[in-house]
Amino acid sequence: MKHVLFVYFSQSGQLEEIAHSIAAPFLNDSDIVVDFYEIKMVHAFPFPWDSKSFFNTFPESFRQIPEEIHPPAPKILGSNYDLILLHYQVWFLSPSIPINSFLKSNYAKQIFAKKPVVSVSGSRNMWALAQDKVKKLLIDLDSELVGNIALTDRNHNLISVVTIVDWLFSGVKRHAYGIFPLPGVSSNEIQGASMFGKTILGCLKQGSYQWMQRALVKQGAVDYRFFLVSMDQKGNKMFKVWSRIILENPKNRRRLIRFFKYYVVFAIYGISPIVYLIELIFFPILYFLKYKKERKHFQGL
Ligand SMILES: Cc1cc2nc3c(=O)[nH]c(=O)nc-3n(C[C@H](O)[C@H](O)[C@H](O)COP(=O)(O)O)c2cc1C
């Protein structure tokens, strides 16, 4: 009998759906006991969001400053899991505050120590550097990352910005303005995620995760796009500066957050298309200098 834990946080229910889809093969197997643990914040974040609260989470999200969470049930804390699947979303290029808060807690230390972990992100599309931060948190917990799944909105970057804003600020997954595609991870991909569950279950039963990540990547579990990683890297550099300025000036926080919001809009619609064009022109050179290595890193562990 194997014992598997599915950890998640989700505002819209998207990551919960993903977790349940991946869990389906485990739930259908009589040799496996499955537990779900939903992270609950003491001070919950709003959903749907309003612009002020959304951008106000930026400095603490990016700097990975934890907040208080409700303790997991004693059953979860007392179990000795054979495998843990950690489902997280990205907030401002970092794991979300609820995920950081849990992974930095003593509860996580108790549950995760010496355990194999599969990370599963469900983000708009910019997950790569957040995954590096999750890796670090897992090392701090003395757990072992054995697999990674990165599910995204596969639409064009600029389109997914419009659709996610409509979704997060209305609370409804709908065709924005009647013409845009649906936001977030597609329902086909969410339902299809059970095939990743099958692969993971097979490895758990065999007692070896050696080939698992390669198999998951073959199944399309990791959406790597060179341009998005490049924007993520540049964004991290700029966010470092912005978050420092905002946190060091608490009296001017509201005004600085407003400037930051204008900066983000300008970076997405003003700077990113230019960077994209330049990187597209230099793609053949950059492929050998940079992208080939990066693909290996972000599709691997
Ligand atoms: C405050 C905030 C910041 C976000 N920042 C990012 C980001 O930097 N990159 C990204 O790909 N998605 C970003 N997202 C989208 C989330 O990763 C996620 O896809 C979405 O919020 C749905 O997750 P849910 O399951 O919690 O509803 C952000 C969402 C929120 C609420």
Side-chain angles (χ1 to χ4, degrees):
M1 194 66 88
K2 300 275 186 195
H3 210 168
V4 181
L5 177 66
F6 285 74
V7 180
Y8 67 91
F9 170 81
S10 187
Q11 288 193 299
S12 68
Q14 179 177 270
L15 265 161
E16 185 178 11
E17 265 186 75
I18 292 169
H20 279 270
S21 179
I22 297 176
F26 292 82
L27 290 165
N28 290 331
D29 193 311
S30 53
D31 289 337
I32 309 286
V33 177
V34 174
D35 286 331
F36 288 94
Y37 162 51
E38 181 182 5
I39 299 163
K40 296 267 188 202
M41 303 300 295
V42 170
H43 300 289
F45 291 94
F47 190 78
W49 290 85
D50 58 84
S51 172
K52 218 169 101 186
S53 353
F54 182 87
F55 286 99
N56 196 43
T57 59
F58 158 68
E60 287 76 15
S61 296
F62 183 72
R63 289 279 166 176
Q64 299 184 256
I65 299 170
E67 291 186 17
E68 207 182 332
I69 61 165
H70 287 292
K75 180 180 174 236
I76 306 275
L77 283 171
S79 296
N80 183 17
Y81 292 103
D82 296 291
L83 177 67
I84 300 172
L85 284 92
L86 171 72
H87 301 73
Y88 74 94
Q89 58 285 92
V90 179
W91 285 6
F92 295 107
L93 311 181
S94 295
S96 68
I97 291 180
I99 295 296
N100 271 313
S101 304
F102 170 62
L103 291 179
K104 290 187 173 186
S105 72
N106 284 330
Y107 311 125
K109 270 192 194 118
Q110 198 172 327
I111 301 169
F112 277 62
K114 309 254 184 288
K115 300 285 183 277
V117 177
V118 176
S119 53
V120 181
S121 59
S123 66
R124 182 175 69 84
N125 61 22
M126 242 170 248
W127 57 270
L129 272 75
Q131 176 63 13
D132 281 348
K133 296 172 195 179
V134 166
K135 278 185 201 171
K136 205 172 161 289
L137 290 167
L138 292 177
I139 290 171
D140 294 345
L141 290 171
D142 195 20
S143 58
E144 188 197 355
L145 183 68
V146 294
N148 178 44
I149 295 169
L151 300 178
T152 63
D153 181 335
R154 302 265 182 174
N155 287 297
H156 188 280
N157 184 41
L158 297 181
I159 290 178
S160 69
V161 175
V162 175
T163 60
I164 202 166
V165 168
D166 182 69
W167 174 29
L168 298 182
F169 287 37
S170 70
V172 190
K173 248 187 183 184
R174 61 185 182 188
H175 293 278
Y177 310 105
I179 52 165
F180 282 92
L182 286 173
V185 180
S186 76
S187 54
N188 275 350
E189 221 169 322
I190 294 176
Q191 280 156 26
S194 64
M195 73 179 161
F196 307 137
K198 252 189 208 163
T199 303
I200 300 166
L201 176 62
C203 294
L204 170 69
K205 288 188 143 184
Q206 274 181 11
S208 166
Y209 300 101
Q210 218 183 340
W211 56 270
M212 191 172 80
Q213 186 59 20
R214 237 178 292 162
L216 288 172
V217 169
K218 259 196 190 155
Q219 288 178 311
V222 181
D223 175 25
Y224 164 82
R225 287 181 249 172
F226 72 91
F227 166 67
L228 296 176
V229 173
S230 174
M231 284 303 290
D232 202 341
Q233 288 161 340
K234 291 176 179 66
N236 264 273
K237 280 187 193 138
M238 291 310 295
F239 281 12
K240 213 171 173 177
V241 177
W242 273 102
S243 57
R244 201 188 60 230
I245 295 172
I246 295 169
L247 289 173
E248 283 177 0
N249 292 283
K251 278 191 188 152
N252 294 319
R253 179 171 175 124
R254 275 176 69 172
R255 195 158 7 130
L256 289 167
I257 293 276
R258 211 169 49 241
F259 289 150
F260 171 71
K261 175 175 138 181
Y262 299 141
Y263 162 77
V264 169
V265 175
F266 175 66
I268 292 172
Y269 286 102
I271 305 173
S272 83
I274 298 167
V275 175
Y276 182 57
L277 213 67
I278 294 171
E279 301 218 347
L280 210 59
I281 292 166
F282 290 102
F283 181 83
I285 303 166
L286 288 172
Y287 178 78
F288 290 104
L289 289 180
K290 196 169 169 239
Y291 303 145
K292 207 173 154 198
K293 210 166 118 198
E294 265 177 15
R295 177 186 286 275
K296 204 170 160 214
H297 173 77
F298 290 111
Q299 289 191 332
L301 298 171

